[in-house]
Amino acid sequence: MSEVTTLELQERKTGKDLYNYQKGAINKIFKSFEDAPEDYHLLYQLPTGGGKTVIFSEIVRQYLKHHQKRVLVMTHRVELCKQTSNMLTEFGVVNKVVDSKANLDDQNDYDCFVAMVETLNNRLNDNKLDITDIGLVIIDEAHYNSFTKLFKFFEKSFILGVTATPLSSNIKLPMKDNYNELIVGETIESLINNEFLARAETFSYNVGLTSLEIGTNGDYTVKSSEDLYTNNDMLSKLLMAYETHSKGKKTLIFNNGINTSIHVFETFKAAGYPIAHLDNTVSKKDRAKILQWFKETPHAILTSVSILTTGFDEPTIDTIILNRATKSLGLYYQMVGRGSRILNNKSKFSIIDLGNNFHRFGPWGSNLDWQKIFRSPHQYLERILSDEELESNFRYEMPPELRSEFANSKEVYFDIKKTYTQAVANGLSSKVVLEKSIDQHARICIENSEDEYDAYALAKLLGDDISYRIDRYSKCICRSTHNFIDWLNDDYRKKLRIYIRENFDRIFEEIHGRPPEE
């Protein structure tokens, strides 16, 4: 590309109106290629919603205008192929989609091809696509590793990868091994300040994730996620979070597993809310109907599994619910990014996080050093806290409705770890910790009751708090088998009830300065 100067780039007339930051990115990309060898691999980062497809479509238009070589654009999903082809057409670039049904007899009539990675791999291995004069290869969502197996076919082509998160989906295949350079685009904060993206407000709920297992891909397994997120406590927490922060707003829910999404659908349907379920087993026709319904229905809720993380743009979304945990920074940003599109009457959106993702990665839009992450991905990943470390910093907070039942109590929190540390320092048995916890639970129940039966009823409402305290206690004493924790939970509840029965009169009089009424 050395015959194209930066000055010439600035003088070119674009095929579509571009924002200044998009024009600046195009200039940087072409300039980087100017003096580079013909097999140079360049990576460009831009947040979801910043217009990556617009930018590389203009790059294709300009490249074809000034070169006698052809262009190939690669995507990893069929939907992205079609969207990319349509955008290129808007820029005046005649292109051919190379899908499984494509007839390639007329391939010599085209200067630009758009192909899905697996289909292209098959066509190239079968020698059905002539790529001898492909000068530029553009890879959308370049952080996916499925593309790297095709690099061997393009050893004399410029390769431009584009992604919102230049962190490989496979820790064993860092992006710096496949790309020579990273150009970082506009930050999320800058795009928000300049009204290109909506600002996010995050509501994060502390969730115990230690039961989740890590699969071979480095992320939580579907099986362990479904075991957690289909239980009644988590479904109730999800519904409560929606009703507290998103009731009456258009909401997109992400799950890790079809069974979870179906449970979510049934839970919200039973509560009377307008909801639809979508996963990759739904036919194209039904998917189109569901997405049209979601677009047109003001208060619609859509519960989904992975399928809408890329290539899906619906600016009317008000709330993103992460009803799952992920170890993938890229997936976190992709899911949240679905809510960041602006509208005339929309400048902000909500994130409800039920997977500790906020604590794991920080707020969406925080100032990440992408150059450092690109150069040293292992160092970045090693700094991410484990679930055990994250949860050790959590403090149980009663939901507002439950807290109102204990309105007479100034403080309802009990610090298990601090109490355990003090007990050990004083040479006391660890059992003292649970005894003190039961006493404190009994006191807040009695403090908000007129009689013994009121106190029993309040004690039944403390299930989440009890489970949290037992979990913290089990970690303190380094015993965390499921059977042991289940036994501790049952034993705690029985002892709390007995403690209330045996001490109600005494504690009531201590608190109120009078005996309970007969």
Side-chain angles (χ1 to χ4, degrees):
M1 293 189 188
S2 56
E3 72 271 21
V4 182
T5 67
T6 304
L7 181 62
E8 284 176 324
L9 289 172
Q10 292 170 345
E11 292 174 348
R12 288 174 179 165
K13 184 179 179 182
T14 58
K16 187 176 180 179
D17 289 339
L18 299 176
Y19 296 118
N20 286 335
Y21 75 87
Q22 294 173 329
K23 293 176 184 177
I26 292 167
N27 286 346
K28 281 184 183 178
I29 289 167
F30 272 111
K31 192 173 189 313
S32 179
F33 278 136
E34 278 177 18
D35 301 316
E38 61 182 357
D39 62 345
Y40 199 65
H41 292 193
L42 177 65
L43 188 62
Y44 173 63
Q45 180 273 334
L46 186 68
T48 298
K52 292 187 295 296
T53 311
V54 167
I55 287 171
F56 71 65
S57 293
E58 174 60 11
I59 287 172
V60 173
R61 190 188 75 82
Q62 292 188 17
Y63 181 86
L64 291 176
K65 184 178 178 181
H66 292 269
H67 296 78
Q68 300 304 311
K69 291 188 176 183
R70 297 195 286 179
V71 177
L72 170 68
V73 182
M74 284 197 281
T75 74
H76 74 291
R77 281 184 39 205
V78 174
E79 292 85 359
L80 290 175
C81 266
K82 293 176 180 176
Q83 289 176 23
T84 300
S85 176
N86 291 339
M87 182 63 76
L88 286 163
T89 301
E90 284 188 44
F91 276 78
V93 176
V94 179
N95 63 90
K96 184 176 184 64
V97 175
V98 182
D99 57 25
S100 57
K101 298 176 183 177
N103 183 339
L104 297 179
D105 292 343
D106 61 349
Q107 61 181 283
N108 292 328
D109 298 335
Y110 293 89
D111 290 325
C112 179
F113 300 95
V114 182
M116 196 173 77
V117 58
E118 297 304 334
T119 305
L120 183 64
N121 188 50
N122 294 335
R123 295 300 179 100
L124 292 177
N125 283 317
D126 293 341
N127 292 316
K128 291 185 177 179
L129 181 66
D130 181 12
I131 59 169
T132 53
D133 60 347
I134 296 287
L136 174 64
V137 177
I138 295 177
I139 299 173
D140 193 14
E141 305 291 352
H143 55 276
Y144 287 107
N145 281 287
S146 53
F147 298 106
T148 56
K149 62 191 172 192
L150 297 175
F151 284 5
K152 63 188 177 186
F153 294 106
F154 302 102
E155 293 180 347
K156 292 188 177 181
S157 302
F158 294 112
I159 291 182
L160 172 64
V162 294
T163 178
T165 50
L167 183 65
S168 174
S169 60
N170 186 338
I171 190 174
K172 296 177 181 177
L173 298 171
M175 301 198 79
K176 66 183 178 68
D177 288 359
N178 289 308
Y179 291 90
N180 304 101
E181 177 190 355
L182 169 67
I183 292 178
V184 176
E186 212 72 357
T187 66
I188 288 175
E189 187 62 29
S190 174
L191 291 172
I192 291 171
N193 290 337
N194 289 290
E195 300 181 345
F196 294 115
L197 291 180
R199 188 173 295 279
E201 182 179 15
T202 301
F203 304 96
S204 185
Y205 288 78
N206 297 340
V207 178
L209 301 177
T210 49
S211 65
L212 296 186
E213 298 173 357
I214 307 296
T216 54
N217 66 348
D219 210 346
Y220 299 108
T221 64
V222 172
K223 172 67 170 63
S224 64
S225 295
E226 298 224 284
D227 288 344
L228 174 62
Y229 284 91
T230 57
N231 73 49
N232 289 332
D233 285 345
M234 283 304 298
L235 289 167
S236 297
K237 183 174 284 190
L238 168 63
L239 185 61
M240 182 270 293
Y242 166 80
E243 291 177 337
T244 303
H245 301 293
S246 191
K247 190 173 182 179
K249 297 179 180 179
K250 185 166 291 188
T251 302
L252 176 59
I253 305 173
F254 287 103
N255 309 279
N256 189 18
I258 293 174
N259 197 33
T260 302
S261 188
I262 291 171
H263 273 71
V264 170
F265 170 80
E266 291 171 346
T267 299
F268 278 76
K269 196 76 174 173
Y273 295 113
I275 188 168
H277 157 82
L278 185 62
D279 64 61
N280 58 10
T281 66
V282 175
S283 69
K284 290 182 181 178
K285 184 178 179 182
D286 287 341
R287 184 190 307 178
K289 282 183 181 178
I290 290 169
L291 292 179
Q292 191 64 31
W293 168 85
F294 186 58
K295 183 182 186 68
E296 296 173 351
T297 306
H299 305 151
I301 306 165
L302 183 57
T303 176
S304 66
V305 188
S306 69
I307 193 170
L308 301 178
T309 54
T310 56
F312 171 65
D313 295 325
E314 184 48 66
T316 59
I317 293 170
D318 287 308
T319 303
I320 297 292
I321 299 183
L322 307 180
N323 191 43
R324 59 163 297 170
T326 181
K327 291 276 191 180
S328 168
L329 175 68
L331 182 56
Y332 172 52
Y333 269 69
Q334 285 164 358
M335 291 187 293
V336 172
R338 300 305 120 195
S340 66
R341 300 299 198 274
I342 58 169
L343 281 175
N344 291 335
N345 59 345
K346 174 193 168 187
S347 60
K348 63 180 182 179
F349 70 107
S350 299
I351 304 165
I352 297 174
D353 180 18
L354 294 168
N356 301 345
N357 304 291
F358 175 86
H359 299 295
R360 191 174 299 110
F361 301 117
W364 175 80
S366 58
N367 189 23
L368 292 173
D369 188 340
W370 288 119
Q371 290 288 3
K372 192 172 182 179
I373 291 172
F374 173 70
R375 292 192 304 270
S376 307
H378 288 275
Q379 189 177 19
Y380 168 76
L381 293 168
E382 285 169 1
R383 287 204 309 271
I384 294 176
L385 295 177
S386 68
D387 291 326
E388 289 80 2
E389 290 171 312
L390 282 176
E391 292 170 33
S392 69
N393 297 319
F394 287 169
R395 171 181 168 134
Y396 175 78
E397 298 288 345
M398 282 187 181
E401 286 185 17
L402 178 58
R403 185 65 179 87
S404 66
E405 297 287 340
F406 295 89
N408 294 334
S409 304
K410 289 183 179 180
E411 181 60 75
V412 294
Y413 179 71
F414 183 83
D415 195 327
I416 289 286
K417 189 174 181 180
K418 181 179 178 182
T419 307
Y420 174 80
T421 302
Q422 290 172 344
V424 171
N426 293 326
L428 301 175
S429 167
S430 63
K431 292 179 181 179
V432 169
V433 177
L434 293 185
E435 290 170 359
K436 288 186 175 183
S437 175
I438 288 170
D439 176 76
Q440 188 263 355
H441 262 154
R443 285 179 179 276
I444 65 172
C445 289
I446 296 169
E447 190 173 22
N448 293 276
S449 303
E450 284 300 321
D451 57 41
E452 202 172 308
Y453 299 101
D454 285 347
Y456 292 149
L458 287 178
K460 287 183 178 179
L461 301 177
L462 293 172
D464 283 349
D465 194 5
I466 292 171
S467 296
Y468 167 80
R469 295 187 187 189
I470 293 299
D471 182 68
R472 296 301 294 268
Y473 175 74
S474 69
K475 287 181 172 59
C476 288
I477 64 172
C478 301
R479 289 186 65 188
S480 57
T481 64
H482 290 301
N483 288 341
F484 178 67
I485 291 174
D486 288 344
W487 177 82
L488 272 182
N489 268 290
D490 290 340
D491 187 61
Y492 188 104
R493 286 162 170 77
K494 290 173 187 174
K495 286 181 177 177
L496 175 57
R497 186 176 176 85
I498 293 169
Y499 193 88
I500 290 173
R501 185 178 71 235
E502 293 179 348
N503 297 278
F504 183 85
D505 290 352
R506 175 181 63 81
I507 295 175
F508 188 94
E509 189 164 357
E510 284 179 14
I511 292 170
H512 298 286
R514 62 175 174 83
E517 295 178 5
E518 293 295 331

